[in-house]
Amino acid sequence: MGEAGVSNPFREDLVSRNLAEACSVVIFGATGDLTHRKLIPALYNLAVDGELPAGVRILGFARRDWSDEFFREGLEKLNKEVSRTGHDDEIWASLAGNIEYHQSEFQDEDGYRRLAEKLDEIDRERGGKGNRLFYIASAPEYFDDILLNLKKAGLSQDRPDCGSCWSRVIVEKPFGTTLATAQHLNEVVNGTFQEKETYRIDHYLGKETAQNIMVLRFANAIFEPMWNKEHIDHVQITCAEHLGMEGGRGGYYDKAGALRDMVQNHLLQLLSLVAMEPPTDLSADGVRDEKVKVIRSLRQWDTPELVAENVIRGQYVAGNVNGDEVPGYREEDRVDPESETEAYVALRCMIDTWRWSGVPFYVRMGKRLPKKATEISIHFKETPSVLFNATPGGVPSGNVLVMRIQPDEGISLMMNSKLPGTTLRMEPVKMDFHYASSFGKSSPEAYERLLLDAMAGDATLFARRDEVEEAWRFIDKIHNAWEEKGKKIPIAEFPAGSWGPREADELLARDGRTWRRL
Amino acid sequence: MSAVISTEGLGMPVEVGAIDGQLKKLWEADEASTNASLMNFLVYTEDPSRLQRNSETIQELTREHACRAVLIAMDREASEAKVEAWITAHCHLAHGKKSICSEQISFLLHGKSLGRLRNTVFAHLNSDLPLVFWWQGELSDLFEERLYRLLNRLIFDSSTWSDPKTGFCRLIEAREDTKGQMVTQDLSWTRSYFYRLAVARLFDDPMAQKSFPDIETVRVKAQSEHRTGALLMAAWVIRRSGWKVQSRQGNHWKLQSKEGKEITLELIWDEEGAPIAELLIAAPDCSVRISREAGNRHLCQSICANDHCVDFSGPADSDQPEGLVASQLSRGGKNSLFLQVLPQFMELLESGN
């Protein structure tokens, strides 16, 4: 054997990350949009970059009666449209030769038995270790069936006959709709796969700028000493979308709402990355241990009074976005005309830890806002008003550090500067770093990074069971308060194309603050 | 007097003393563009006729690597000592929206003067940004301590060196002088990046791993011009495998594994093929072969065991130095793997017949 007794001596040192291992990737819900627009292009781009392990085989599992050829043609067509690196026929041919379609109902046990046979055949042919990665990208109502049938077919267990081989599962969101359903799903998942082989995907964590939060905080000596209640006044996390319920998404959204669809997962994950303590190491559990402490430390808004005081829910009424007339939420396709589902939510979160005591984290998410933007802004405390009290205009404002997650990824810092002239006047100026300007090369898509991590057994960028459940515990209490009989909390309204309801502005105004203008 | 050198495309001629002021005016006149810079990128050549081509290279490189580019060409044969300078900017639409520009200063230094290169570099750097220095051609006497102590990253191409042994000795010395602070990147090493990645991928296969102790032959086919690239790749295989170089007969080397097994390394010149055309690692029951046809953008990767072969296609490295430099800049890092294989490479280079 080669250096250090590793099984593949040529692997070590070539990449500074865990090694992705060859495996069979089985995608449930393979005829869907996620597979066509995200998963296959991600695997293709990994092949283009030479990152995809040799011997990866892809099996699409779905109900429709498609042939291998028809399945591949559809994937190729979409890949040509959406692939980050364009489409190279030769690389595609090499990848497509390893893609097959497996037709079966999700509830049909025989389909899983045939799948097991097919996977065994692939392993024999490849002579590989028999690693399997199951990606559940189907509609959520099939999650239980798929997991239980995988178990029945013996596909979820580590197999004694194949040594160090593994079986892993990636579960797409939504991971439950309440704490109870998430706990149930976790029971089913953990009854099928070990927790260490379970990867609950939150694609926000795969975004370059989300990963950069830890780098910014812990690789730059200037920020961490100030990252606490002594220096930070408050934090804002905004996820704005200009789209409404186009493409039939109203059916799903009207059951979920902004709080469950976005805040429970993506925004609480961002919040935990901003607020967590430095982890002891960068291992999956090292990072996730610290993140879950943040979510566990969120002050619970568990009575209708507290919820009314700290959470604003809203719906848009007809308005104008980007010059187009758009309908109100209740007039949208597949939305109940009497719906009480929130298309906008703003929260005032308090993290009861030593570091963050008294520092509010304002989180807002809304549909049909003026533009698409996700960002985190750290608002530092103002300087003591002694030196520049007498200057015309005074000191304009405190420093703001902004981390833009999407689009136009980057970081900016607002600071005060003297205006040129003979008098002492100050204006805020902006130091701005744009990923696109500084690094012309496009970043890998979130799914590329996450798929590779799952093949490498690195769960750092995936949510752990306790994180998911703690987040649901926080969200459920708000929902329960909204639904409590006799204490109706009103739904605020705002015209589509505006920055949300007046009540959300008042949420901050009560604390003497305003939302950042994006 | 030297040959006439084309300076078309280098931009506006400027007095050396007025460069900063002229650059400022350039940006003041254009409010629609953003001047971006992640590094000082210096390209040095002692072939003045390359100045124009280097400017075209910067035009391409700045699509992905915003920088302050400083191009320096030295006409050492000129009898009269003088300096000519030009400034320009290369602009690109980022994501189809904003115009992102990188500024470029070009110098043509006439006449031989040891200190002038160094001082020209010193005077025109963006402060605090790292200095990446692409030295084209042989490391001449101008590659001296007070210059290389300033560099964060040195890019060179050992395939262009007439005497690689001397060149590498100078390089090792310079690295020691800088206490390892200067990152060195040989484009001849970069040329084999995807070959090495492919070897690592193919040896993920259990059959290949099982056959590893039985490897008998390693064969590299390359253009003779790319001898250092071929030997660097072979040195990597030797290093990672834990083998020792025993002896050499022409282009054949005898190697020995830790278990005492003899392995043959063979280097074959193939002037019609790609710069590096093939790497074969063969055991009696299993062989791993990576090859590339001239001009093809892909590597053919195959693993054969028991008369059954599996083939893949993967990306290949660029043939052009510009493409290799772009790849290097994207990857960054300390390039420590290159340093690790240097002892084996020097052994291959130096081992006697």
Side-chain angles (χ1 to χ4, degrees), chain A residues 143-218:
Chain A
F143 286 6
D144 278 16
D145 286 327
I146 292 167
L147 288 161
L148 293 171
N149 280 320
L150 282 172
K151 185 178 182 180
K152 279 185 196 157
L155 285 166
S156 62
Q157 309 299 320
D158 285 345
R159 296 175 304 285
D161 56 325
C162 70
S164 60
C165 67
W166 44 258
S167 293
R168 294 179 186 143
V169 65
I170 301 179
V171 187
E172 261 293 337
K173 82 165 198 179
F175 203 84
T177 51
T178 60
L179 175 60
T181 54
Q183 283 172 328
H184 165 76
L185 187 53
N186 274 328
E187 289 301 324
V188 176
V189 172
N190 287 165
T192 314
F193 291 86
Q194 296 177 53
E195 178 62 23
K196 72 178 172 72
E197 306 292 19
T198 303
Y199 295 74
R200 297 171 189 83
I201 208 159
D202 185 328
H203 73 271
Y204 260 54
L205 294 180
K207 287 179 182 292
E208 205 74 56
T209 35
Q211 293 168 47
N212 197 36
I213 295 172
M214 280 216 292
V215 175
L216 180 86
R217 287 190 56 194
F218 304 129

Side-chain angles (χ1 to χ4, degrees), chain A residues 480-500:
Chain A
N480 293 343
W482 282 346
E483 283 163 13
E484 198 165 315
K485 282 183 184 155
K487 295 199 173 175
K488 192 94 182 135
I489 297 171
I491 298 176
E493 289 186 347
F494 64 98
S498 71
W499 272 111

